[in-house]
Amino acid sequence: MSTKVVFCWSNISGYMAACWRALHLLPDIDVFVIAFQARTQTAFSDQLMQGIPCRLLNLQERQEANLVKSLVLAESPDVVILSGWFHQPYRHLAFASELSHTALIMGMDTPWWGTWKQHLTRWILHSFLQRMDRVVVSGERSWQYASHLGISPAKIVRGLYGIDYNAWFSLWEQRLHTSWPRSFLFVGRYVSAKAIDLLAEAYQLYRSQVSDPWKLVCCGQGPLSSQLQGQPGIDNCGFLQPTEMQKIWQAAGAFLLPSRFDPWPLALVEAAAAGLPIVCTDACGSAVEVIRPGYNGLMIPKDNLEALAKALLILHQRYGDLSTWGKRSQQLAAPYAADIWASRWRELIHDLILDKTSQVKHKQ
């Protein structure tokens, strides 16, 4: 008999679709996903969810708590997984009497910064957090936050996210068929949090220091798009669906993510899986897991123009090491493969069901 698992998620993505699909392929896990419908042409396409039982909510539906609850109850779930506490209709599920015997898991990727708002969260969400049977965190920084929220270490599990590792793995070897590309790649939203303005300025500073500058390819969309337009050496490709990105990744020589704030960017993990050296700031949460400075990339302070320009110059000067750095990146990304993610979650779900059953018997 299979275990019914319902994910209540926010936006769909290529990496989560790969993970859900891998979990659903396991014979003893029955997956159903409730998530937000793609709203614009610059969102991940709903077609990503092909083959995954799901219900995608439009703008109005996602705010209707009764609808969300009815969709969950219709699946008669053994386990309900919530994507954090930010969405009120999902948060209400923790208090639904009809789900009192259902195991509840919350995911979180927010890092611990020690702000007063984070300290307050522990008290504001106390009753909600107490209802969680497990909290799955993305990495060490979010583990720290979960601990500060008063969640027992026995309830905290690492490994919230995974990626379609097999889709990226061959790219490193493909680059070796010709000379390693002399180009930088940025993938992300064109917003202040991603420091797209600083990237454009640092890139121009780098160009002024070399006679044969590499180009900078940017893929994304956002209000700061104008920062990239008409800039020497910058190729703005706009937003592309995952299926359109393979050639872009293959043609890249190194990946850049100069974020000012980025809880646990999957782009770093995907870039590592693609076999790229990486430059990122210490504001990128996933850097803790997939970046080893001087081994497969460089980590720099956020909001530091000179440090970012110097990092580009270092990659330029160490061109002969980039393929080796890229191979090391793949090794660090390997634990996040979707099939490994699915196995990890399967074990978590089965252990939780056993615990829940044991608790019920004990109360009787």
Side-chain angles (χ1 to χ4, degrees):
M1 184 176 176
S2 61
T3 302
K4 187 63 181 238
V5 180
V6 173
F7 285 83
C8 294
W9 218 252
S10 53
N11 299 308
I12 60 174
S13 60
Y15 57 85
M16 283 311 304
C19 290
W20 290 327
R21 190 171 289 110
L23 186 62
H24 188 61
L25 287 174
L26 298 178
D28 53 350
I29 302 290
D30 187 4
V31 170
F32 188 82
V33 177
I34 299 171
F36 298 168
Q37 191 177 57
R39 291 183 293 165
T40 66
Q41 290 181 338
T42 55
F44 287 109
S45 169
D46 292 349
Q47 293 178 348
L48 288 175
M49 300 296 288
Q50 264 190 335
I52 304 168
C54 65
R55 172 67 154 80
L56 301 182
L57 307 171
N58 63 33
L59 283 171
Q60 180 179 335
E61 291 174 334
R62 67 186 65 171
Q63 302 302 331
E64 298 176 8
N66 287 334
L67 171 63
V68 169
K69 185 169 80 168
S70 68
L71 291 171
V72 172
L73 294 177
E75 298 300 316
S76 301
D78 300 297
V79 181
V80 171
I81 299 162
L82 308 175
S83 59
W85 59 73
F86 80 101
H87 191 53
Q88 193 173 53
Y90 288 168
R91 203 164 63 240
H92 283 172
L93 295 171
F95 303 96
S97 58
E98 301 93 330
L99 296 171
S100 59
H101 297 299
T102 303
L104 296 175
I105 298 174
M106 184 189 75
M108 61 177 289
D109 63 7
T110 309
W112 172 250
W113 297 119
T115 64
W116 66 269
K117 284 186 178 180
Q118 289 188 322
H119 282 289
L120 279 178
T121 300
R122 174 172 181 170
W123 308 111
I124 294 171
L125 294 175
H126 178 75
S127 59
F128 170 79
L129 295 172
Q130 289 299 305
R131 293 174 184 267
M132 295 300 114
D133 296 291
R134 294 290 187 276
V135 172
V136 184
V137 298
S138 54
E140 292 309 305
R141 289 182 180 175
S142 52
W143 187 95
Q144 292 171 14
Y145 191 8
S147 181
H148 279 283
L149 289 172
I151 299 164
S152 166
K155 289 187 174 182
I156 306 174
V157 180
R158 295 167 177 82
L160 177 61
Y161 296 130
I163 61 167
D164 190 0
Y165 185 78
N166 292 335
W168 307 93
F169 182 73
S170 64
L171 294 177
W172 179 85
E173 190 170 339
Q174 289 173 22
R175 284 188 208 99
L176 298 183
H177 294 164
T178 57
S179 58
W180 191 266
R182 288 176 165 84
S183 70
F184 304 112
L185 174 64
F186 167 87
V187 178
R189 292 172 294 126
Y190 298 162
V191 294
S192 178
K194 299 286 187 180
I196 197 72
D197 52 330
L198 192 76
L199 175 61
E201 188 177 355
Y203 174 70
Q204 296 305 326
L205 180 57
Y206 148 79
R207 282 181 64 89
S208 70
Q209 297 173 332
V210 295
S211 59
D212 54 342
W214 301 354
K215 68 178 178 178
L216 168 61
V217 177
C218 296
C219 298
Q221 190 268 348
L224 297 185
S225 179
S226 60
Q227 301 274 348
L228 305 173
Q229 295 305 118
Q231 295 288 338
I234 298 181
D235 184 3
N236 179 12
C237 298
F239 180 87
L240 299 173
Q241 293 293 339
T243 53
E244 303 172 290
M245 284 294 299
Q246 289 295 98
K247 289 183 178 179
I248 299 288
W249 285 103
Q250 184 183 344
F255 185 76
L256 313 177
L257 194 63
S259 302
R260 295 183 171 102
F261 176 76
D262 226 335
W264 210 85
L266 270 297
L268 281 191
V269 189
E270 292 175 334
L276 289 176
I278 296 168
V279 171
C280 69
T281 63
D282 50 17
C284 297
S286 53
V288 175
E289 280 72 40
V290 298
I291 307 300
R292 301 293 179 268
Y295 181 75
N296 73 314
L298 301 169
M299 202 183 308
I300 60 173
K302 66 178 181 178
D303 265 328
N304 191 315
L305 175 68
E306 290 75 18
L308 180 54
K310 182 180 179 181
L312 303 189
L313 184 61
I314 290 173
L315 291 183
H316 185 111
Q317 293 171 338
R318 298 192 62 172
Y319 172 75
D321 296 328
L322 298 190
S323 63
T324 300
W325 281 24
K327 192 61 179 176
R328 292 168 179 170
S329 284
Q330 287 197 318
Q331 295 165 0
L332 290 164
Y336 300 94
D339 57 338
I340 296 175
W341 179 94
S343 297
R344 188 165 57 238
W345 274 80
R346 178 193 184 197
E347 183 177 353
L348 163 63
I349 289 165
H350 282 277
D351 286 349
L352 183 51
I353 292 295
L354 287 174
D355 286 353
K356 202 76 173 175
T357 303
S358 177
Q359 289 171 17
V360 172
K361 288 182 178 178
H362 182 71
K363 288 179 181 178
Q364 292 173 344

